[in-house]
């Protein structure tokens, strides 16, 4: 750690480390290495020394809380339905869906892997089958907007109680922390002391759960409840710390079911699947489901993206500009989300930004969680006053105090890591040359996978895009959760 800080030209690395340990902001983490005391070699060798590392205290504690929660749910779970009933509800299901349903009903924690649409359909099917036999269920989405879309996707054969499809913030009853906590601090009404009154919790899109949110969710699940976490293979890591879903799978302590690709999907699914496999392929899209728009520079990429949102996509495909989401690799740069938003606001809702940079009619997205809205929640500004910014979110109208308005960003365009929670009828993915350092296979696959009907790729990165898809994985993260779950 000292060497890494010194490489960043930190003035006194050792003093900074000692200070962080003294104040409790950092903790010393000691890992006992594996050592078989009964092996013949153990009689002649000294036990290996424990490995020491440093961790941010709040994240280290969150990993420990998540691990304890997963262990508790696994240990306290019993079958939610008897064998005869499980056999009956599996009747006629394909093998992968049957395995997923069986794991959900018989084990405390299970993992599903597959494409976003298949995960959503499987989650709704599992919850519907469980609810049909009297179990208390919830299907949980990252945001209220995503929850509303998921509820609309439920077919007539899926009978779920009202409110069973819910955003994570709402499920955990997010609220402002009382003083003396800093304004805007988010706490949850549901937790170890006040657990959820549920038998089965299904989270079809858990790839974006950072370790703190994973810990909050697991702690809120009561003893005996079953938790199903889904995610696309090779998805972009969470915007926050950790990699809870991947670590849980890596622990090899829970069943993991891979869903076979469902029928349909066409060119969009074909392209996204190829990217996840490391190939950037040209797909046949006779109905213009996928369009590649070349651009010679970042500035031209911004111009092309604005043209697509305000004219080409609405005119050619009948998808209104409000249903088009622009995504970029990062917030900054010549063709980053900030530059794209400035250009899109100038065309779609020009104004002086009189209220902390915002005007009524602006699209916004939550960049830092609010008590009333989760990370990545999209909304529209409806007004403003001395009390703050009035924003209409999917969960209802909210007044964001002036001190917290900096937690919002304009939302016509967003970095992929922030926009990942919500899929849209049309997506414009802007890939510019200066973003090469941020390009990776998971980022590109996540961006492309956000499109439901149409994807336009504004390509200004040249060969860097194909190279990233072929060679670049997400940056490695050092985590302990997989080892802690096994312990």
């Amino acid at each position: 750690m000292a060497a890494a800080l010194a490489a960043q030209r930190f003035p006194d690395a050792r003093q900074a480390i000692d200070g962080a340990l003294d104040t409790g902001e950092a903790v010393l983490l000691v890992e006992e290495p594996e050592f078989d005391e009964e092996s013949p070699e153990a009689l002649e060798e000294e036990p290996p020394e424990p490995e020491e590392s440093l961790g941010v205290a709040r994240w280290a504690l969150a990993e420990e809380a998540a691990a304890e929660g997963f262990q508790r749910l696994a240990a306290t779970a019993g079958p939610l339905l008897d064998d005869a009933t499980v056999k009956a509800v599996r009747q006629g299901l394909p093998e992968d869906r049957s395995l997923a349903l069986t794991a959900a009903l018989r084990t405390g924690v299970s993992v599903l892997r597959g494409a976003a649409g298949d995960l959503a359909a499987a989650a709704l099917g599992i919850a519907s089958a469980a609810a049909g036999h009297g179990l208390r269920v919830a299907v949980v989405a990252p945001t209220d907007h995503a929850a509303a879309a998921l509820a609309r996707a439920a077919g007539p054969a899926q009978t779920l109680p009202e409110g069973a499809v819910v955003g994570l913030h709402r499920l955990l009853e997010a609220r402002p922390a009382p003083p003396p906590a800093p304004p805007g601090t988010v706490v949850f009404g549901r937790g170890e002391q006040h657990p959820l009154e549920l038998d089965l919790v299904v989270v079809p899109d858990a790839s974006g759960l950072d370790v703190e949110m994973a810990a909050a969710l697991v702690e809120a699940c009561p003893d005996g409840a079953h938790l199903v976490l889904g995610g696309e293979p090779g998805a972009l890591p969470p915007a926050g710390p950790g990699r809870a879903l991947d670590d849980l799978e890596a622990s090899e302590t829970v069943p993991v079911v891979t869903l076979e690709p469902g029928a349909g999907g066409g060119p969009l699914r074909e392209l996204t699947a190829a990217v996840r496999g490391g190939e950037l392929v040209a797909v046949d899209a006779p109905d213009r489901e996928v369009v590649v728009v070349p651009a010679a520079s970042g500035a031209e990429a911004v111009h092309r993206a604005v043209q697509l949102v305000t004219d080409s996509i609405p005119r050619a495909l009948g998808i209104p500009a409000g249903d088009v989401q622009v995504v970029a690799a990062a917030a900054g740069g010549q063709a980053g989300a900030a530059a794209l938003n400035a250009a899109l606001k100038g065309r779609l809702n020009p104004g002086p930004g009189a209220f902390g940079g915002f005007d009524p009619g602006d699209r916004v997205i939550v960049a830092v969680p609010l008590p009333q809205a989760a990370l990545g929640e999209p909304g529209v500004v409806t007004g403003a006053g001395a009390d703050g910014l009035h924003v209409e979110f999917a969960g209802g109208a909210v007044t964001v105090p002036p001190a917290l308005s900096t937690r919002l960003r304009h939302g016509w365009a967003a970095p992929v890591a922030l926009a990942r929670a919500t899929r849209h009828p049309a997506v414009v993915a802007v890939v510019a040359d200066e973003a090469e350092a941020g390009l990776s296979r998971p980022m590109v696959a996540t961006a492309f996978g956000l499109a439901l009907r149409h994807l336009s790729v504004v390509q200004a990165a040249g060969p860097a895009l194909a190279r990233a898809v072929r060679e670049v994985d997400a940056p490695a993260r050092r985590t302990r959760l997989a080892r802690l779950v096994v312990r």
Side-chain angles (χ1 to χ4, degrees):
M1 180 63 74
L5 288 173
Q8 298 294 323
R9 299 185 179 181
F10 204 85
D12 192 336
R14 179 60 62 182
Q15 183 179 355
I17 293 170
D18 291 341
L21 288 168
D22 290 342
T23 60
E25 293 180 57
V27 292
L28 185 65
L29 306 173
V30 180
E31 300 289 344
E32 295 289 347
E34 294 183 5
F35 182 68
D36 185 359
E37 297 181 355
E38 299 181 359
S39 68
E41 293 81 5
L43 299 175
E44 303 175 4
E45 298 177 4
E46 289 293 324
E49 291 293 322
E51 296 180 6
E52 294 183 348
S53 59
L54 293 177
V56 177
R58 59 182 283 192
W59 299 345
L61 292 174
E63 282 197 312
E64 291 174 4
E68 291 172 3
F70 288 133
Q71 290 171 334
R72 175 179 57 83
L73 292 180
T76 60
L80 294 177
L81 298 174
D82 60 67
D83 289 348
T85 305
V86 172
K87 184 177 180 180
V89 296
R90 292 187 317 191
Q91 194 70 31
L93 291 177
E95 183 179 5
D96 58 331
R97 300 300 175 91
S98 176
L99 290 172
L101 180 61
T102 302
L105 295 175
R106 288 183 174 167
T107 58
V109 183
S110 57
V111 170
L112 300 182
R113 290 296 194 180
D118 298 323
L119 289 167
L124 292 168
I126 290 169
S128 178
H133 287 83
L135 296 176
R136 300 166 299 174
V137 304
V139 181
V140 186
T143 64
D144 288 344
H145 190 283
L150 189 58
R152 290 193 297 270
Q158 294 161 339
T159 54
L160 290 168
E162 185 175 354
V165 183
V166 62
L168 182 57
H169 243 45
R170 190 173 298 275
L171 176 80
L172 297 180
E173 299 178 5
R175 61 185 65 168
T185 301
V186 180
V187 295
F188 299 110
R190 294 289 184 167
E192 186 178 359
Q193 302 303 318
H194 186 205
L196 299 163
E197 296 167 0
L198 293 169
D199 302 305
L200 175 64
V201 178
V202 188
V203 188
D205 182 11
S207 297
L209 285 180
D210 66 35
V211 70
E212 292 183 301
M213 286 306 299
L217 172 62
V218 175
E219 287 186 324
C221 292
D223 288 355
H226 289 208
L227 177 63
V228 181
L229 299 175
E232 297 179 86
L236 192 67
R243 29 168 275 164
L245 181 61
D246 289 343
D247 280 349
L248 179 63
E249 181 176 357
S251 74
E252 298 183 347
T253 61
V254 301
V256 178
V257 179
T258 299
L259 302 176
E260 295 296 327
L268 281 170
R269 176 177 289 220
E270 180 185 348
L271 175 61
T272 304
V275 169
R276 291 200 187 284
E279 293 185 80
L280 187 65
V281 299
V283 296
D284 184 23
D287 295 323
R288 290 179 290 188
E289 296 95 337
V290 179
V291 173
V292 178
V293 181
S297 65
E300 185 182 346
V302 172
H303 173 75
R304 297 295 183 203
V306 172
Q307 189 177 45
L308 286 163
V309 173
T310 61
D311 178 50
S312 302
I313 293 175
R315 174 172 46 81
L317 302 174
I319 301 174
D323 287 339
V324 183
Q325 178 66 55
V326 181
V327 294
Q334 191 178 24
L340 288 159
N341 272 314
L344 287 162
K345 176 174 171 57
R347 284 288 300 274
L348 292 169
N349 194 47
F355 302 98
F358 300 103
D359 296 298
D362 280 355
R363 279 173 62 173
V364 293
I365 191 168
V366 177
V368 177
L370 293 164
Q372 311 94 327
L375 180 75
E377 188 78 67
V380 177
V381 177
T382 57
D387 57 343
L389 204 64
H390 305 158
V391 183
E392 188 69 34
F393 291 114
V398 166
T399 297
V400 180
L404 300 183
S405 64
T406 54
R407 298 189 180 188
L408 299 175
R409 301 287 185 272
H410 284 108
W412 291 283
V416 176
L418 196 56
R420 63 181 299 166
T422 307
R423 303 177 76 197
H424 298 267
V427 167
V428 176
V430 178
V431 189
D433 188 44
E434 76 271 3
E436 179 176 352
L439 289 177
S440 68
R441 181 169 53 255
M443 191 279 289
V444 176
T446 301
F448 290 2
L450 294 175
L452 292 169
R453 292 172 49 194
H454 171 79
L455 171 68
S456 284
V457 181
V458 180
Q459 161 59 310
L465 177 57
R467 183 167 59 250
V469 168
R470 185 175 60 251
E471 301 174 2
V472 184
D473 204 346
R477 295 187 173 191
R478 293 188 61 174
T479 60
R480 300 185 302 146
L481 182 58
R483 297 192 299 276
L484 291 173
V485 173
V486 175
R487 213 161 59 183

